[in-house]
Each structure stands twice: as C-alpha cells, then as structure tokens.
Amino acid sequence: MKKILLALLCLTQGLLAQTSNEIRLIIRSDDIGFCHTANDACMKVYTNGISRSVEILATAPWFMEAVKMLKTQPNYDVGVHLCLTSEWENLKWRPLTSAPSLTDADGYFPQFIWENKKLRDSPYLLQKTINVAEVEREFRAQIELVKKHLPWASHLSAHMGCTNATPEVKTMVERLSKEYNLPIQMPKDVQYVRGFGGADKSPEQKEKDLVEILKNLPAGTHFLVEHPGYDSGDMKGVGHVGYENVAYDREGVTRAFTSAEVKKVVAERGIKLISIKEAMAGK
C-alpha cells in the first residue's frame, strides 16, 4: 500500500511540475462583424493560424455575415464584444435599442468613450450624462442577439473600454456577467503580451517581433489581443484622424498570426494555444 501511495504521490508531483512548466497562449481576435474584410481575416487566423478566441460586435453592419462564418467553425471560442462606440469616419453603426443618451447628433454611437485630446471636435460618450438604464438595455440586447445566433458564446469583452465608462456601468456589467454566466474578467495569473503591436510597423516586422516574443515566453498563461485585417477590400476605406493606415496595420496582424515561422516556434516550444473559455475553466 505504501508503495502505491508513493507512486501516486510521485505521479501527482510530476503532473504538477509539468503543468507549472507549460507555456499557454491565448490569442484574442477583436471586432469580427465590423466589415467584410475583418470577417475574412478573423476567420483566417483561426482556420490557418494561432487565434482561438474571437470577439463579435453585435451592433456592427457585417454582423450577420460573421454569424454565418462562425457557424462553420463551432469550436472557435466567441466573446460578446460589448460596444458603445463607432470609431470610424466612413463606417458607422447605431445601438440595437432606443438609447438617446448614448448616441451622437446623427443617431450613431459616438467615436470614443472619453475625450480624445487630439480630436477635440469628435463626439465622445461622456461629453453628456449617460443613462445607465439605457446602457443596460443595450448591453442585454447585444448579449441576447449574439447568444441567439451563436449559443456557444462563452464570455464578455469591451470594445474601446466601454464597460469601464463609469463606476456605475462597471458594476452593472459585473452583474450582467453573473446573470448570463459570461465571465468578463480574465484569471488573475494571466500575463499580457507586450511589444507586438504598432500601427507603423510593417507586416514583416510584426512577424519578426511575434517570433521573438514567442521564443522568449516563460512558463505560464499569456494573453495577446489584436485586430486581424487585410490591406485590401472595404478595410481600405476605414480610419479616422490619427489612425489612417488601419488596413496596413491589420494586414500585419493577420500575417503574423498565420505565419509559418510563428507556427514553427509554437510547435518547437510546445506552446499550448488555448481559448478564453479554456482559460476561464482552468484547462
């Protein structure tokens, strides 16, 4: 009996050591639904890349195409990307509900949550008093629309920080998170990946940077959030003052996330690609 117990203890210690030395990586791809090109890219980084979670904008104009695409890949972890902004100059969207305190003079979501000091004439959410009851109705509508079409959606996330717009909004979102059983807070032990992004970096530089980051990732769970796209199609018309090269920037993200060299490093180092759902479950 003592020998059996000793063997079990050694096995348990070995498994714990193996787990503690494991490198786990969450790649979250944001904003599927906002344009056709983003939809294509967000799917590509899953089917031919390293992304395992994607955030969908229920309010955005290409939502239904995104739904159709995601239904072909039901193992792609989906998050409800709660939204109170419509940031682009040539492409706008509105709330799903009647929410006059959340819209600009044209009935669209404003560009930003807080004032952008570089764009003083741009409408932002908190330049007027928002009605938290309207925010709650809007967030419920967004959650329920996503769950209606993609019932496996596993979590909530915030587009442009909207869930922290005010302390009252933050408290309300935490309540909705519990009510719908859709977590919004990442586990405390998750480490955020730094040094990858940059709107002026070339696609080649982004790929090189990601390779170097992955070569040096220590044991633990790591989290990288980015926005896949292509330097083509309708994304070429997307941007705003201060961020005009959106398509070029996001082309680099897609290239890095689907790079053969990146995938080689992942395989060689035994990096485990996981979804937000798996991280929440502690897998």
Side-chain angles (χ1 to χ4, degrees), residues 162-175 185:
C162 67
T163 59
N164 291 318
T166 68
E168 293 79 13
V169 169
K170 182 177 181 180
T171 298
M172 178 268 292
V173 171
E174 290 170 352
R175 175 166 49 80
Q185 300 295 339

Side-chain angles (χ1 to χ4, degrees), residues 17-265:
Q18 183 180 9
T19 301
S20 64
N21 292 325
E22 189 174 60
I23 306 170
R24 293 151 43 104
L25 177 62
I26 305 162
I27 299 288
R28 191 184 95 182
S29 297
D30 279 12
D31 295 1
I32 194 170
F34 96 82
C35 71
H36 171 70
T37 305
N39 289 355
D40 272 350
C42 284
M43 296 306 297
K44 181 74 173 291
V45 297
Y46 173 73
T47 59
N48 193 38
I50 62 173
S51 180
R52 295 295 177 267
S53 292
V54 65
E55 309 306 295
I56 190 166
L57 287 164
T59 56
W62 287 82
F63 171 79
M64 289 310 302
E65 183 194 54
V67 164
K68 186 182 296 185
M69 290 176 166
L70 288 167
K71 283 183 175 179
T72 71
Q73 301 294 338
N75 291 322
Y76 200 0
D77 180 40
V78 176
V80 183
H81 207 39
L82 297 173
C83 178
L84 295 176
T85 50
S86 178
E87 61 269 32
W88 311 121
E89 291 178 359
N90 299 328
L91 178 67
K92 310 302 291 181
W93 48 83
R94 305 172 186 271
L96 300 179
T97 60
S98 175
S101 78
L102 309 181
T103 55
D104 65 15
D106 296 319
Y108 296 113
F109 280 135
Q111 269 193 293
F112 307 106
I113 301 293
W114 299 274
E115 182 181 10
N116 187 323
K117 300 295 184 181
K118 296 179 181 179
L119 302 174
R120 294 188 178 276
D121 294 330
S122 297
Y124 62 96
L125 186 71
L126 297 180
Q127 69 187 129
K128 59 182 181 180
T129 301
I130 62 172
N131 184 322
V132 177
E134 288 182 2
V135 179
E136 179 170 348
R137 281 199 304 272
E138 178 60 25
F139 282 172
R140 284 184 182 277
Q142 293 178 22
I143 292 167
E144 290 173 10
L145 184 62
V146 173
K147 291 290 285 182
K148 172 185 175 182
H149 293 285
L150 303 168
W152 69 89
S154 72
H155 60 277
L156 304 177
S157 60
H159 185 60
M160 300 180 73
C162 67
T163 59
N164 291 318
T166 68
E168 293 79 13
V169 169
K170 182 177 181 180
T171 298
M172 178 268 292
V173 171
E174 290 170 352
R175 175 166 49 80
L176 292 183
S177 172
K178 292 177 182 178
E179 178 183 337
Y180 286 97
N181 193 27
L182 294 171
I184 191 166
Q185 300 295 339
M186 292 294 292
K188 292 182 179 179
D189 62 342
V190 168
Q191 305 168 58
Y192 287 77
V193 173
R194 308 295 182 189
F196 170 68
D200 295 325
K201 286 184 183 179
S202 69
E204 293 76 18
Q205 188 61 53
K206 281 192 173 76
E207 181 180 4
K208 289 179 183 178
D209 287 351
L210 188 54
V211 166
E212 288 306 307
I213 288 167
L214 297 182
K215 283 182 177 179
N216 293 286
L217 275 186
T221 303
H222 304 271
F223 185 39
L224 175 58
V225 177
E226 260 298 350
H227 303 78
Y230 291 113
D231 194 12
S232 62
D234 52 358
M235 191 167 281
K236 295 284 281 187
V238 170
H240 61 68
V241 174
Y243 186 26
E244 293 86 357
N245 61 338
V246 176
Y248 179 74
D249 177 28
R250 298 186 179 193
E251 168 82 29
V253 173
T254 304
R255 287 226 223 144
F257 284 3
T258 58
S259 158
E261 188 63 27
V262 165
K263 288 186 281 188
K264 180 182 176 184
V265 175

